[in-house]
Amino acid sequence: MYLFLAFLLVPIIEIALFIQVGGLIGLWPTLAIVVLTAVLGTWLVRTQGRMALGQLNRAFNQLDDPTEPLAHGAMILFSGALLLTPGFFTDALGFALLVPGVRVAVYRYLRARVQVSSFQMGPGPGMRQPHHDTGDVIDGEWEEVRPHRERGVGPSGWVEGPDRH
């Protein structure tokens, strides 16, 4: 029901804002603002997205919980979609989601309302575990080295005599 209301109300709000702003400043300045916010929004989404990706990599490298950086990345992606959608209302929401403090508040709000009932890593209960040999096996590559008697290599493999290299 909420999604239906959003698809119904957002275009109505955008049309009303276009009419109001266009009536105040004219058609061409209104269209210029829409294009400018799309370009500026794209640049901001790219820079914020890079920072969010860096925070996600840092969380993975330090084995921290990646939930918050992933949520920030999703909100930045959503803000990019809002900023590319023509309109003043969607631009305002998109720019608001690019503010880190707003994203933190939205994350805390959502985290308080979402309850994880189960989390599992690895194969599930119906999945078969791969068979592992219990012996100590080290996988590696080898190459047989034969001593070169003609160069003066001794039985230990060291070069002997005046031909040392």
Side-chain angles (χ1 to χ4, degrees), residues 12-44:
I12 292 172
I13 293 170
E14 293 292 5
I15 292 170
L17 287 173
F18 271 124
I19 291 170
Q20 290 293 320
V21 173
L24 287 174
I25 63 173
L27 173 67
W28 294 112
T30 302
L31 293 177
I33 290 172
V34 170
V35 171
L36 182 67
T37 57
V39 171
L40 179 64
T42 302
W43 179 77
L44 286 170

Side-chain angles (χ1 to χ4, degrees), residues 96-109:
L97 280 176
L98 288 178
V99 176
V102 172
R103 285 197 312 265
V104 168
V106 170
Y107 173 73
R108 287 182 181 156
Y109 173 81

Side-chain angles (χ1 to χ4, degrees), residues 67-68 70-72 74-76 78 97 102-116:
T67 306
E68 190 169 358
L70 281 171
H72 281 271
M75 285 186 268
I76 291 168
F78 185 63
L97 280 176
V102 172
R103 285 197 312 265
V104 168
V106 170
Y107 173 73
R108 287 182 181 156
Y109 173 81
L110 292 174
R111 187 179 64 185
R113 279 146 187 79
V114 173
Q115 180 180 0
V116 178

Side-chain angles (χ1 to χ4, degrees), residues 67-146:
T67 306
E68 190 169 358
L70 281 171
H72 281 271
M75 285 186 268
I76 291 168
L77 185 65
F78 185 63
S79 75
L82 289 172
L83 288 166
L84 288 176
T85 304
F88 295 106
F89 180 68
T90 54
D91 285 350
L93 291 177
F95 281 122
L97 280 176
L98 288 178
V99 176
V102 172
R103 285 197 312 265
V104 168
V106 170
Y107 173 73
R108 287 182 181 156
Y109 173 81
L110 292 174
R111 187 179 64 185
R113 279 146 187 79
V114 173
Q115 180 180 0
V116 178
S117 61
S118 169
F119 178 78
Q120 177 178 349
M121 290 182 63
M127 301 176 80
R128 206 176 93 196
Q129 293 280 349
H131 176 70
H132 293 289
D133 189 7
T134 58
D136 292 332
V137 177
I138 299 174
D139 189 19
E141 296 180 13
W142 60 274
E143 177 182 330
E144 186 175 342
V145 179
R146 297 183 186 262

Side-chain angles (χ1 to χ4, degrees), residues 35-57:
V35 171
L36 182 67
T37 57
V39 171
L40 179 64
T42 302
W43 179 77
L44 286 170
V45 166
R46 289 180 80 192
T47 57
Q48 291 280 324
R50 282 189 192 122
M51 288 192 305
L53 189 59
Q55 292 170 349
L56 181 63
N57 283 334

